[in-house]
Amino acid sequence: MESASIPSAGYPFSSIPPVRLYRPLFSPRNLSLPFHLIQSTIHSFKLLRDFNPHIVVGTGGYVSFPTCLAALFRGLKVVIQEQNSVPGIANYLLSFLAEVVFVAYNSTVECFPRKHKCMVCGNPVRLSLRQFVSKAVARKEFFPRAGGKEEAKVILVLGGSFGANTINIALLNLYSQMLLEHKNWFIIWQTGVEAYNEMESLVRIHPHLFLTPFLHSMDLAYAAADLVVSRAGAMTCSEILATGKPAILIPSPNLEEGHQLRNASLMADVAGSRVITEDELDSTTLGTTIDEIIAGDEAVMADMSERALKAAKPDASAEIARHILSLVEASTKKK
C-alpha cells in the first residue's frame, strides 16, 4: 500500500526486504530469521549511506527494526514512535538504544523498561482533520439532496483501506432494514478496495447510502459523521479522539500482538467507545449497539464526544517534530 500512496503524495519511496517474526517464537519458520535480518540490515545500511540522514525515526513493525539497527551501526541518532497502547517487539527492543521514545498514551510508558526516555505526545493526525468543516457542508458532499438536514444521523463505517470482511458482512445484512426503520439515518460505508466489487454487486442503491472502496476526503467523512464504526487501529483511534466522535470499535483479531484489542479497551476507558469483539460481531449485535447510541439518550453521545476530545492530543505532530529537530540541531552543533 505504501509503495503507491507515498509516491502519490510527492515523496520518494524505497522498499526494504521484510523480516517477519512468526508465532510461536520457536516456529520452524523463524529459522531463516537471522538470514533475513542480516539481508535487510545490509540493504538499509546502503540506503542510509546514500540518503545520509541526520536522524532516523522508527514507528515499529518488521521494516523499522533492521532500518533502525542499520542507523545505529552508522552512528546515527534513532528515535521511535509507538502508536499503539502497548509496544510491539521491534519498538520494545529498539527502546533500549533509542534517544527518545514517543508514545501516544500515558499508560504506554509503563510498558517500556526505560521510562525516562518516554515522552507522551499522542499520535500525529492529518492536519485536515483540524480544519473546521461544518457538518452540513460535509454531508452535502456525500448526500447532496438530503444529507444537510439537521435531524439527520450519519454513520461512518470504516474497515481500513483493505476492508474488514466481517464488518462488511454484518452491515450487508443490516443496512437495508436499518435505513427502512430510520428515515433520517444515512450511512457512509468504506468497504475496502478488495471487497468493493462484491459489496457493490450485493448492495441495493439507496439515496441514504454512500458506498465507496476508499475515502480520500477523510476530513469530510469525519465531519459528516455522528457515529464511527471501525477497526481499532492506532491511527484511526487517534483520529476518532481528535474529531470527538462516538465510536463502535471492532478490533481485528489478526494482529499477533493483540494491539487492536488493547487499543479498543483503552478507547473504552478514555472515551466511552463501545467494543464488539470479532466473535460477538453479527448484524444483530452491530445493529443493537448502533441503535443504543444513536437512538438513545443524546446525552450519552454528547458525553462520548466530550470525553474523546478531552483525551485527544491534537498537537502531537508539531510536538514530535519539534523534539526531533532539537535532537538534529544538537547533533549538528557537536560536529
Side-chain angles (χ1 to χ4, degrees):
M1 182 171 62
E2 290 87 348
S3 63
S5 60
I6 292 175
S8 68
Y11 297 96
F13 175 84
S14 297
S15 61
I16 295 167
V19 181
R20 179 103 189 239
L21 182 66
Y22 293 96
R23 303 295 195 285
L25 193 60
F26 296 105
S27 168
R29 291 187 293 179
N30 283 330
L31 291 174
S32 60
L33 179 66
F35 169 76
H36 290 302
L37 179 59
I38 292 169
Q39 180 189 42
S40 192
T41 303
I42 291 172
H43 186 88
S44 300
F45 193 91
K46 291 176 180 177
L47 286 174
L48 291 172
R49 181 189 60 199
D50 296 337
F51 188 67
N52 194 28
H54 291 95
I55 197 164
V56 171
V57 183
T59 57
Y62 302 124
V63 172
S64 72
F65 187 78
T67 308
C68 291
L69 200 60
L72 292 165
F73 286 147
R74 283 188 59 80
L76 298 170
K77 288 184 181 294
V78 169
V79 299
I80 58 175
Q81 197 249 335
E82 180 53 58
Q83 301 166 5
N84 291 288
S85 55
V86 292
I89 291 176
N91 271 354
Y92 181 84
L93 294 175
L94 288 169
S95 70
F96 289 94
L97 302 170
E99 297 284 325
V100 180
V101 179
F102 299 109
V103 298
Y105 308 103
N106 292 322
S107 59
T108 312
V109 175
E110 300 304 316
C111 300
F112 286 100
R114 300 191 175 180
K115 297 174 180 55
H116 66 280
K117 289 186 175 184
C118 295
M119 296 188 67
V120 182
C121 298
N123 280 326
V125 295
R126 59 195 93 198
L127 186 61
S128 60
L129 294 182
R130 299 176 57 196
Q131 296 170 347
F132 177 76
V133 178
S134 73
K135 186 172 282 190
V137 169
R139 286 177 173 180
K140 285 182 179 179
E141 288 290 322
F142 301 99
F143 309 104
R145 293 183 180 180
K149 295 179 180 177
E150 287 186 14
E151 69 274 14
K153 298 294 183 184
V154 177
I155 303 159
L156 172 61
V157 182
L158 305 172
S161 55
F162 289 110
N165 192 46
T166 51
I167 296 177
N168 284 334
I169 291 171
L171 191 59
L172 179 65
N173 295 323
L174 170 67
Y175 82 95
S176 183
Q177 185 66 28
M178 184 168 21
L179 294 179
L180 181 65
E181 291 178 1
H182 303 278
K183 302 298 184 183
N184 65 331
W185 286 18
F186 296 76
I187 302 173
I188 301 172
W189 181 0
Q190 178 187 270
T191 64
V193 176
E194 294 180 358
Y196 179 73
N197 289 337
E198 181 185 4
M199 289 298 110
E200 187 186 34
S201 68
L202 297 171
V203 169
R204 294 178 184 175
I205 296 173
H206 193 289
H208 288 198
L209 175 66
F210 182 88
L211 192 73
T212 180
F214 187 78
L215 283 164
H216 294 281
S217 302
M218 282 302 302
D219 55 331
L220 293 177
Y222 278 116
D226 293 287
L227 174 68
V228 178
V229 178
S230 175
R231 288 299 197 193
M235 300 313 294
T236 300
C237 289
S238 292
E239 290 179 349
I240 288 169
L241 294 178
T243 53
K245 296 299 175 180
I248 298 171
L249 299 175
I250 304 158
S252 171
N254 300 323
L255 300 178
E256 290 157 340
E257 292 168 14
H259 282 149
Q260 288 210 6
L261 183 58
R262 295 179 184 184
N263 290 344
S265 298
L266 185 60
M267 287 288 287
D269 289 339
V270 301
S273 302
R274 304 293 192 269
V275 179
I276 302 175
T277 65
E278 193 87 350
D279 293 337
E280 297 169 336
L281 179 64
D282 57 28
S283 58
T284 302
T285 307
L286 181 58
T288 300
T289 310
I290 291 173
D291 199 67
E292 285 175 355
I293 296 173
I294 290 190
D297 188 350
E298 288 193 7
V300 173
M301 289 187 69
D303 179 66
M304 292 172 76
S305 179
E306 185 180 342
R307 289 173 64 184
L309 288 171
K310 189 175 180 180
K313 295 185 180 295
D315 297 322
S317 302
E319 190 174 350
I320 291 171
R322 194 161 49 244
H323 286 300
I324 290 172
L325 291 173
S326 68
L327 285 171
V328 171
E329 187 178 351
S331 64
T332 52
K333 281 182 178 179
K334 288 180 181 179
K335 293 179 180 181

